Coordinates of all heavy atoms in Angstrom, one line a residue:
M247 N -10.6 9.1 0.6 CA -9.3 9.1 1.3 C -8.5 8.0 0.6 O -9.0 7.0 0.1 CB -9.6 8.8 2.8 CG -10.3 9.9 3.6 SD -9.4 11.4 3.7 CE -8.1 10.9 4.9
A248 N -7.2 8.2 0.6 CA -6.2 7.3 0.1 C -6.2 6.1 1.1 O -6.5 6.1 2.2 CB -4.9 8.0 0.1
Y249 N -5.6 5.0 0.4 CA -5.3 3.8 1.2 C -4.1 4.1 2.0 O -3.1 4.9 1.7 CB -5.1 2.6 0.2 CG -6.4 1.9 -0.1 CD1 -7.4 2.6 -0.8 CD2 -6.6 0.6 0.2 CE1 -8.7 2.0 -1.2 CE2 -7.8 0.0 -0.3 CZ -8.7 0.7 -0.8 OH -9.9 -0.1 -1.3
V250 N -3.9 3.4 3.2 CA -2.8 3.5 4.0 C -2.3 2.0 4.4 O -3.1 1.1 4.4 CB -3.0 4.2 5.3 CG1 -3.3 5.7 5.0 CG2 -4.1 3.6 6.2
I251 N -0.9 1.9 4.6 CA -0.5 0.6 5.0 C -0.1 0.4 6.4 O 0.6 1.4 6.8 CB 0.7 0.3 4.2 CG1 0.4 0.2 2.6 CG2 1.4 -1.0 4.7 CD1 1.5 0.0 1.7
S252 N -0.7 -0.5 7.1 CA -0.5 -0.6 8.6 C 0.9 -1.3 8.9 O 1.6 -1.7 8.1 CB -1.6 -1.5 9.2 OG -1.5 -2.9 8.9
D253 N 1.1 -1.3 10.1 CA 2.4 -1.9 10.8 C 2.4 -3.5 10.5 O 3.5 -4.0 10.7 CB 2.6 -1.7 12.1 CG 2.9 -0.1 12.3 OD1 3.3 0.5 11.3 OD2 2.8 0.3 13.6
E254 N 1.3 -3.9 10.0 CA 1.2 -5.5 9.6 C 2.1 -5.8 8.5 O 2.5 -6.8 8.3 CB 0.0 -5.9 9.4 CG -1.0 -5.7 10.7 CD -0.6 -6.4 11.9 OE1 -0.4 -7.7 11.8 OE2 -0.5 -5.9 12.9
C255 N 2.4 -4.8 7.7 CA 3.2 -5.0 6.4 C 4.6 -5.7 6.9 O 5.3 -5.4 7.6 CB 3.6 -3.6 5.9 SG 4.7 -3.7 4.5
V256 N 4.9 -6.8 5.8 CA 6.1 -7.5 6.0 C 7.1 -7.2 4.9 O 8.0 -7.9 4.5 CB 5.7 -9.0 6.1 CG1 5.0 -9.4 7.3 CG2 5.0 -9.4 4.8
S257 N 6.9 -6.1 4.1 CA 7.7 -5.6 3.1 C 7.9 -6.7 2.0 O 9.2 -6.6 1.6 CB 9.0 -5.1 3.7 OG 8.8 -4.0 4.5
C258 N 6.9 -7.3 1.6 CA 7.0 -8.3 0.5 C 7.1 -7.6 -0.8 O 7.7 -8.1 -1.8 CB 5.9 -9.2 0.4 SG 4.3 -8.6 0.1
G259 N 6.6 -6.4 -1.0 CA 6.6 -5.7 -2.3 C 5.5 -5.9 -3.3 O 5.5 -5.4 -4.4
A260 N 4.6 -6.9 -3.0 CA 3.6 -7.3 -3.9 C 2.6 -6.2 -4.3 O 2.3 -5.9 -5.3 CB 2.7 -8.5 -3.4
C261 N 2.3 -5.3 -3.3 CA 1.5 -4.4 -3.5 C 2.0 -3.2 -4.5 O 1.3 -2.6 -5.4 CB 1.1 -3.5 -2.2 SG 2.4 -2.9 -1.2
A262 N 3.4 -2.8 -4.3 CA 3.9 -1.9 -5.1 C 4.0 -2.3 -6.7 O 3.9 -1.6 -7.5 CB 5.5 -1.8 -4.7
A263 N 4.0 -3.7 -6.9 CA 4.1 -4.2 -8.3 C 2.8 -4.0 -8.8 O 2.6 -3.9 -10.1 CB 4.6 -5.6 -8.2
E264 N 1.6 -4.1 -8.1 CA 0.3 -4.0 -8.6 C -0.2 -2.7 -8.7 O -1.2 -2.4 -9.5 CB -0.6 -4.8 -7.6 CG -0.4 -6.3 -7.7 CD -0.6 -6.9 -9.1 OE1 -1.7 -6.7 -9.7 OE2 0.2 -7.8 -9.5
C265 N 0.4 -1.5 -8.0 CA -0.2 -0.3 -8.0 C -0.3 0.4 -9.5 O 0.9 0.5 -9.9 CB 0.4 0.5 -7.0 SG -0.2 2.3 -7.0
P266 N -1.4 0.7 -10.0 CA -1.4 1.3 -11.3 C -0.8 2.7 -11.4 O -0.4 3.2 -12.6 CB -2.8 1.3 -11.8 CG -3.6 1.5 -10.4 CD -2.8 0.7 -9.4
V267 N -0.5 3.3 -10.3 CA -0.1 4.8 -10.4 C 1.2 4.8 -9.7 O 1.8 5.9 -9.4 CB -1.1 5.7 -9.9 CG1 -2.3 5.9 -10.8 CG2 -1.5 5.5 -8.5
S268 N 1.9 3.7 -9.4 CA 3.2 3.7 -8.7 C 3.2 4.5 -7.4 O 4.2 5.3 -7.3 CB 4.3 4.2 -9.7 OG 4.4 3.2 -10.8
A269 N 2.0 4.4 -6.7 CA 2.0 5.3 -5.6 C 2.7 4.6 -4.2 O 2.8 5.2 -3.2 CB 0.5 5.6 -5.2
I270 N 3.1 3.4 -4.4 CA 3.7 2.6 -3.3 C 5.2 2.5 -3.3 O 5.7 2.1 -4.4 CB 3.0 1.2 -3.2 CG1 1.5 1.4 -3.1 CG2 3.6 0.5 -1.8 CD1 0.8 0.1 -3.2
S271 N 5.8 2.8 -2.2 CA 7.2 2.6 -2.2 C 7.8 2.1 -0.9 O 7.0 2.1 0.0 CB 8.0 3.9 -2.5 OG 7.6 5.0 -1.5
E272 N 9.0 1.6 -1.0 CA 9.5 0.9 0.3 C 9.9 2.0 1.2 O 10.7 2.9 0.9 CB 10.7 0.0 -0.1 CG 11.2 -0.7 1.2 CD 12.0 -1.8 0.8 OE1 12.7 -1.9 -0.3 OE2 12.5 -2.7 1.7
G273 N 9.4 1.9 2.5 CA 9.8 2.9 3.6 C 10.5 2.2 4.6 O 11.2 1.2 4.4
D274 N 10.7 2.8 5.8 CA 11.5 2.4 6.9 C 10.7 1.3 7.7 O 9.7 1.7 8.5 CB 11.7 3.6 7.7 CG 12.7 3.2 8.9 OD1 13.3 2.2 8.9 OD2 12.8 3.9 9.8
G275 N 10.9 0.1 7.3 CA 10.3 -1.0 8.0 C 9.0 -1.6 7.4 O 8.5 -2.5 7.8
K276 N 8.4 -0.8 6.5 CA 7.1 -1.1 5.9 C 7.0 -0.2 4.6 O 7.8 0.6 4.4 CB 6.0 -0.9 6.7 CG 5.7 0.6 7.0 CD 4.4 0.6 7.8 CE 4.0 2.1 8.0 NZ 2.7 2.3 8.5
Y277 N 6.1 -0.8 3.7 CA 5.9 0.0 2.5 C 4.9 1.1 2.8 O 4.1 1.1 3.7 CB 5.3 -1.0 1.4 CG 6.4 -1.6 0.7 CD1 7.4 -2.4 1.2 CD2 6.5 -1.4 -0.8 CE1 8.4 -3.0 0.5 CE2 7.6 -2.1 -1.4 CZ 8.5 -2.9 -0.8 OH 9.5 -3.3 -1.5
V278 N 5.1 2.2 2.0 CA 4.1 3.4 2.4 C 3.4 3.7 1.0 O 4.0 3.7 0.0 CB 5.0 4.5 2.9 CG1 5.5 4.2 4.2 CG2 6.0 4.9 1.9
I279 N 2.3 4.4 1.1 CA 1.5 5.0 0.1 C 1.5 6.4 0.0 O 1.4 7.1 1.1 CB 0.1 4.4 0.1 CG1 0.0 2.9 0.0 CG2 -0.8 5.1 -1.0 CD1 -1.5 2.2 0.3
D280 N 1.8 7.0 -1.2 CA 1.7 8.4 -1.4 C 0.4 8.8 -1.5 O -0.4 8.5 -2.5 CB 2.6 8.7 -2.7 CG 2.4 10.2 -3.0 OD1 1.7 10.9 -2.4 OD2 3.2 10.7 -4.0
A281 N -0.2 9.4 -0.5 CA -1.7 9.8 -0.4 C -2.1 10.6 -1.6 O -3.2 10.5 -2.1 CB -2.0 10.4 0.8
D282 N -1.2 11.4 -2.1 CA -1.6 12.3 -3.2 C -1.7 11.6 -4.6 O -2.3 12.0 -5.5 CB -0.5 13.5 -3.3 CG -0.7 14.5 -2.1 OD1 -1.7 14.6 -1.5 OD2 0.3 15.0 -1.8
A283 N -1.0 10.4 -4.7 CA -1.1 9.7 -5.8 C -2.1 8.6 -5.9 O -2.5 8.3 -6.9 CB 0.3 9.2 -6.1
C284 N -2.4 8.1 -4.7 CA -3.3 7.0 -4.7 C -4.7 7.3 -5.3 O -5.3 8.4 -5.0 CB -3.6 6.5 -3.2 SG -4.7 5.2 -3.0
V285 N -5.2 6.3 -6.2 CA -6.4 6.6 -6.7 C -7.5 5.7 -6.2 O -8.6 5.4 -6.8 CB -6.5 6.4 -8.3 CG1 -5.6 7.6 -8.9 CG2 -5.8 5.1 -8.7
E286 N -7.2 5.1 -5.0 CA -8.1 4.3 -4.3 C -8.7 3.1 -5.1 O -9.9 2.8 -5.0 CB -9.3 5.2 -3.7 CG -8.9 6.2 -2.9 CD -10.0 7.3 -2.6 OE1 -11.0 6.9 -2.4 OE2 -9.7 8.5 -2.7
C287 N -7.9 2.5 -5.9 CA -8.5 1.4 -6.6 C -8.6 0.0 -5.9 O -9.2 -0.9 -6.2 CB -7.5 1.0 -7.8 SG -5.9 0.5 -7.3
G288 N -7.8 -0.1 -4.7 CA -7.9 -1.4 -3.9 C -7.0 -2.5 -4.3 O -7.1 -3.5 -3.7
A289 N -6.3 -2.2 -5.4 CA -5.4 -3.4 -5.9 C -4.4 -3.8 -4.8 O -4.2 -5.1 -4.8 CB -4.7 -3.0 -7.1
C290 N -3.8 -3.0 -4.1 CA -2.9 -3.3 -3.0 C -3.4 -4.2 -2.0 O -2.9 -5.1 -1.7 CB -2.3 -1.9 -2.5 SG -3.5 -0.7 -2.0
A291 N -4.7 -3.7 -1.6 CA -5.3 -4.6 -0.6 C -5.6 -5.9 -1.1 O -5.6 -6.9 -0.3 CB -6.6 -3.9 -0.1
G292 N -5.9 -6.1 -2.4 CA -6.3 -7.3 -2.9 C -5.2 -8.4 -3.1 O -5.3 -9.6 -2.9
V293 N -3.9 -7.8 -3.1 CA -2.8 -8.8 -3.3 C -2.0 -8.9 -2.0 O -1.2 -9.8 -1.8 CB -1.8 -8.3 -4.3 CG1 -2.5 -8.2 -5.8 CG2 -1.2 -6.9 -4.1
C294 N -2.2 -8.1 -1.0 CA -1.4 -8.2 0.2 C -1.8 -9.4 1.1 O -2.9 -9.7 1.4 CB -1.7 -7.0 1.2 SG -0.7 -7.0 2.7
P295 N -0.6 -10.2 1.4 CA -0.8 -11.5 2.1 C -1.2 -11.3 3.5 O -1.7 -12.2 4.2 CB 0.5 -12.2 2.0 CG 1.5 -11.0 1.8 CD 0.8 -10.0 1.1
V296 N -1.0 -10.1 4.1 CA -1.5 -10.0 5.5 C -2.5 -8.8 5.7 O -2.8 -8.4 6.9 CB -0.1 -9.5 6.3 CG1 0.9 -10.7 6.4 CG2 0.5 -8.2 5.8
G297 N -3.1 -8.3 4.6 CA -4.1 -7.4 4.8 C -3.7 -6.0 5.3 O -4.5 -5.3 6.0
A298 N -2.6 -5.5 5.1 CA -2.0 -4.3 5.6 C -2.6 -3.1 5.0 O -2.8 -2.2 5.7 CB -0.5 -4.2 5.6
P299 N -3.0 -3.1 3.7 CA -3.5 -1.9 3.2 C -5.0 -1.8 3.4 O -5.7 -2.7 3.3 CB -3.2 -2.0 1.6 CG -2.3 -3.1 1.5 CD -2.6 -4.0 2.5
S300 N -5.4 -0.6 3.7 CA -6.9 -0.3 3.9 C -7.2 1.1 3.6 O -6.3 2.0 3.7 CB -7.4 -0.7 5.4 OG -6.7 0.1 6.3
A301 N -8.6 1.4 3.3 CA -8.8 2.6 3.1 C -9.4 3.3 4.3 O -10.0 2.8 5.2 CB -10.2 2.6 2.1
E302 N -8.8 4.5 4.6 CA -9.2 5.2 5.8 C -9.7 6.7 5.5 O -9.4 7.1 4.5 CB -7.9 5.3 6.8 CG -7.5 3.7 7.2 CD -6.8 3.9 8.5 OE1 -6.3 4.9 8.9 OE2 -6.8 2.8 9.2
Ligands
LIG662 FE1 -2.1 2.1 -5.5 FE2 -4.7 1.4 -5.8 FE3 -3.4 0.9 -3.5 FE4 -4.0 3.4 -4.1 S1 -5.4 1.7 -3.7 S2 -2.0 2.5 -3.3 S3 -3.8 3.4 -6.4 S4 -2.9 0.0 -5.5
LIG663 FE1 3.5 -4.8 2.9 FE2 1.3 -6.1 2.1 FE3 2.5 -4.4 0.3 FE4 3.5 -6.8 1.0 S1 1.7 -6.5 -0.2 S2 4.6 -4.7 0.9 S3 2.9 -7.0 3.1 S4 1.5 -3.8 2.4

């Protein structure tokens, strides 16, 4: 399953810069992951300051 970003996201953009497949973009109030593009590498979870991305 793809990673998803929770409402804890503070829209810092750090995850989008790290995603190797550019699956993360700025959404309405938080960043969002394109589930079809995500390769489940975990890089976004590794750089997020608030732990918003997780595998579900
Ligand atoms: Fe991108 Fe990897 Fe996060 Fe998926 S798990 S959104 S591929 S950084
Ligand atoms: Fe949101 Fe975390 Fe991504 Fe920053 S790194 S935009 S807080 S999910």
Side-chain angles (χ1 to χ4, degrees):
M247 295 292 285
Y249 274 61
V250 294
I251 293 174
S252 75
D253 290 344
E254 298 301 306
C255 174
V256 294
S257 296
C258 71
C261 56
E264 292 296 320
C265 182
V267 294
S268 300
I270 308 175
S271 60
E272 187 167 12
D274 185 14
K276 67 173 187 175
Y277 273 57
V278 293
I279 294 172
D280 178 348
D282 292 329
C284 176
V285 294
E286 303 169 44
C287 69
C290 51
V293 298
C294 181
V296 296
S300 63
E302 294 206 347

